[in-house]
Amino acid sequence: MTTSTSEPVLTVTVSASERLAEGVLALTLVRPDGGELPEWEPGAHIDLLLTDDLVRQYSLCGDPADRASWRVAILREPTGRGGSAFVHDRLAAGEQIRVRGPRNHFRQEPAQRYLFVAGGIGITPILPMLEAAARANIPWSLLYGGRTTDSMAFAESLAARGSHVQIRPQDQYGLLDLKTFLGRPRPGTLVYSCGPEPLLQAMEDATADWPEGTLHTERFTAKEISEEERASEREFEVVLARSGHTLLVKPGCSILDVVEGVGVEATFSCREGTCGTCETLVVEGSPEHRDSVLTDDEREAGDAVLICVSRSLSPRLVLDL
């Protein structure tokens, strides 16, 4: 099982299924009884519980003001782990599916100006942010890249926004010119980026001399754990404050593994440190963060840890479980 039931699960119906671009399918989800769906903010994602042991996270890309429906857009990944293939092949209009969330680890913070950089299907969490900035009359610009124009979902509607948007398919323009788009750091500017790992690494390099906290990223795949990090793993003790267990976490084993081993329920999903589902409060100790979700400030605070991948710097870690 890759899911836990401690978070509420909702059943929804696929009311519409639409091909947006080469390999990209959009689903509109509604409640079977026609009722309102939970509120969400730009940057939020939901879990699709495709089967008991197949759970995937997808960004909401519709209008947060629309409480009657949710919209997600999903890229078919030929070399993926089966989630996108399931969606493309089996989720037609009329099908019902269980969902969990929304959850937001890519929240749009207030700013005087926004710069958005999206790669491929990474455009999905960015779309509601553009709308929010436009409604608030906050200046914004988008640089959107992809393999080809045909593979870039929402390209046509985004192009209609004129000078706010630069659409740069790689087969015509090459790699994104981040330096020119970003320009010099300006006070009050926040940068949001989502896409494949090479793009996010390039974004981190391009904004290395910008004020701390300027760049906000969301990853669809986990950052790699280096061989050096794996070789340095040491066993540590984890105490579950609410359930009273004291457990030993050995090298090569995750906190989540040992928590599951004693039958303590913990909400989780991706097991890769990318979705944030397993975020747990730290009561005492110093986490060794290995996730791709928490910000630098959140890591420095040390009051939360993603137990599916992270470890402990201190010999003892006390968690609110």
Side-chain angles (χ1 to χ4, degrees), residues 92-299:
E95 295 287 337
Q96 290 194 340
I97 187 173
R98 294 176 301 149
V99 299
R100 187 172 53 208
R103 192 179 305 111
N104 200 341
H105 290 277
F106 194 42
R107 188 166 281 105
Q108 186 174 11
E109 304 293 342
Q112 298 173 19
R113 172 176 172 255
Y114 292 106
L115 296 176
F116 300 106
V117 180
I121 200 63
I123 190 63
T124 51
I126 299 295
L127 289 174
M129 296 184 179
L130 306 181
E131 296 295 339
R135 283 196 299 268
N137 291 317
I138 299 172
W140 62 272
S141 297
L142 167 68
L143 178 63
Y144 178 23
R147 291 182 294 103
T148 65
T149 302
D150 290 343
S151 71
M152 297 171 68
F154 307 103
E156 186 174 344
S157 59
L158 287 168
R161 291 182 173 272
S163 60
H164 285 285
V165 176
Q166 298 178 32
I167 296 177
R168 298 291 184 266
Q170 188 173 349
D171 63 341
Q172 298 179 39
Y173 294 91
L175 296 178
L176 294 178
D177 186 354
L178 300 179
K179 184 176 180 181
T180 299
F181 175 74
L182 294 171
R184 295 179 178 274
R186 288 171 52 180
T189 297
L190 290 182
V191 181
Y192 282 80
S193 185
C194 184
E197 186 61 24
L199 171 62
L200 300 185
Q201 289 287 348
M203 288 295 297
E204 291 176 353
D205 293 342
T207 58
D209 59 348
W210 287 51
E212 186 176 350
T214 296
L215 177 64
H216 298 255
T217 61
E218 180 164 73
R219 285 176 158 81
F220 292 144
T221 57
K223 281 186 174 181
E224 287 191 19
I225 305 299
S226 69
E227 291 301 321
E228 182 180 354
E229 286 177 306
R230 296 193 186 280
S232 67
E233 289 183 359
R234 299 291 182 268
E235 67 180 29
F236 61 94
E237 189 177 77
V238 61
V239 178
L240 310 185
R242 281 192 280 126
S243 54
H245 292 280
T246 298
L247 309 170
L248 188 65
V249 183
K250 295 183 178 181
C253 184
S254 73
I255 299 172
L256 178 58
D257 289 335
V258 298
V259 168
E260 286 185 288
V262 295
V264 173
E265 190 174 19
T267 305
F268 62 93
S269 180
C270 73
R271 289 186 177 271
E272 295 182 339
T274 58
C275 73
T277 307
C278 69
E279 184 175 348
T280 302
L281 293 178
V282 175
V283 179
E284 181 184 323
S286 301
E288 179 188 351
H289 298 291
R290 292 186 174 185
D291 64 273
S292 303
V293 173
L294 298 179
T295 65
D296 290 341
D297 287 344
E298 289 169 334
R299 292 181 176 211

Side-chain angles (χ1 to χ4, degrees), residues 44-110:
H45 68 263
I46 56 174
D47 298 340
L48 298 190
L49 282 64
L50 303 173
T51 67
D52 284 345
D53 57 0
L54 187 62
V55 180
R56 294 293 181 267
Q57 294 74 41
Y58 297 108
S59 298
L60 291 169
C61 58
D63 181 2
D66 178 9
R67 297 290 301 279
S69 67
W70 285 339
R71 197 179 196 210
V72 292
I74 298 162
L75 171 68
R76 187 182 192 114
E77 297 278 5
T79 60
R81 296 173 295 152
S84 64
F86 184 103
V87 172
H88 279 249
D89 295 340
R90 299 177 62 176
L91 288 188
E95 295 287 337
Q96 290 194 340
I97 187 173
R98 294 176 301 149
V99 299
R100 187 172 53 208
R103 192 179 305 111
N104 200 341
H105 290 277
F106 194 42
R107 188 166 281 105
Q108 186 174 11
E109 304 293 342

Side-chain angles (χ1 to χ4, degrees), residues 10-29:
L10 182 69
T11 297
V12 296
T13 300
V14 179
S15 66
S17 175
E18 177 189 2
R19 300 284 171 180
L20 295 182
E22 180 185 312
V24 179
L25 180 71
L27 301 179
T28 302
L29 308 174

